[in-house]
Structure formats: structure tokens, C-alpha cells
């Protein structure tokens, strides 16, 4: 019924504008989602962390992915503290 994951990534520099998504799916349909957008506030490669979380829905799988505009993206992120709540 709930999931959360901490992610670490670089902000600013060439990374600004990339979105990191966490979708909860039930039978292939998105039932809950969360997204963070990597900031582009100037500077270069500032390490930061954020939490992505979904709750309040029954789901059978999770999808973690990134986009830049309408295109898939592949930023460097580290994941930690994945928590699943039945």
C-alpha cells in the first residue's frame, strides 16, 4: 500500500531539468506516482538527496525511471532505504 526510496544525485551543471519518477502500478496501470525535478540553479554538480514516495493505493509493481522533456534519460543516482509497506 506504500513505498518510499531515498535517492542521491547531482543538481545543477548539465543535470538540471531531468525528472526522476516513481510509479506504483497495478496490473500495468499507474495508480500512484511521485516525481522530483533536478534543479538547475547555477553552480556545478551539487550533491543532494530527496525521497520519492507513493501511498494510498494497492499496487503490484514499482517503476523508477527518469525523463528529460518527453525523452528517457539516465542520470546517475544512488538509491537507499527502499521501504515497502503491505
Amino acid at each position: 500500500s506504500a513505498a518510499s526510496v531515498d535517492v542521491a544525485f547531482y543538481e545543477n551543471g548539465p543535470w538540471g531539468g531531468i525528472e526522476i519518477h516513481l510509479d506504483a502500478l497495478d496490473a500495468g496501470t499507474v495508480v500512484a506516482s511521485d516525481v522530483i525535478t533536478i534543479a538547475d540553479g547555477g553552480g556545478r554538480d551539487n550533491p543532494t538527496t530527496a525521497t520519492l514516495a507513493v501511498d494510498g493505493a494497492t499496487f503490484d509493481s514499482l517503476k523508477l525511471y527518469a525523463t528529460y522533456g518527453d525523452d528517457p534519460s539516465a542520470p546517475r543516482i544512488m538509491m537507499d532505504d527502499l521501504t515497502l509497506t503491505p
Side-chain angles (χ1 to χ4, degrees):
S1 64
S4 67
V5 62
D6 296 334
V7 293
F9 53 91
Y10 289 115
E11 287 192 310
N12 304 314
W15 324 113
I18 294 173
E19 294 182 338
I20 303 171
H21 306 259
L22 177 65
D23 290 348
L25 298 101
D26 188 28
T29 300
V30 176
V31 293
S33 63
D34 194 11
V35 64
I36 57 172
T37 302
I38 296 177
D40 187 11
R44 178 105 178 122
D45 297 344
N46 303 319
T48 191
T49 61
T51 300
L52 289 162
V54 292
D55 63 6
T58 300
F59 55 90
D60 58 18
S61 62
L62 293 170
K63 180 179 178 182
L64 179 68
Y65 62 101
T67 57
Y68 184 74
D70 292 329
D71 298 319
S73 183
R76 295 180 184 180
I77 65 170
M78 293 176 22
M79 297 179 2
D80 196 14
D81 297 329
L82 174 63
T83 303
L84 300 172
T85 304

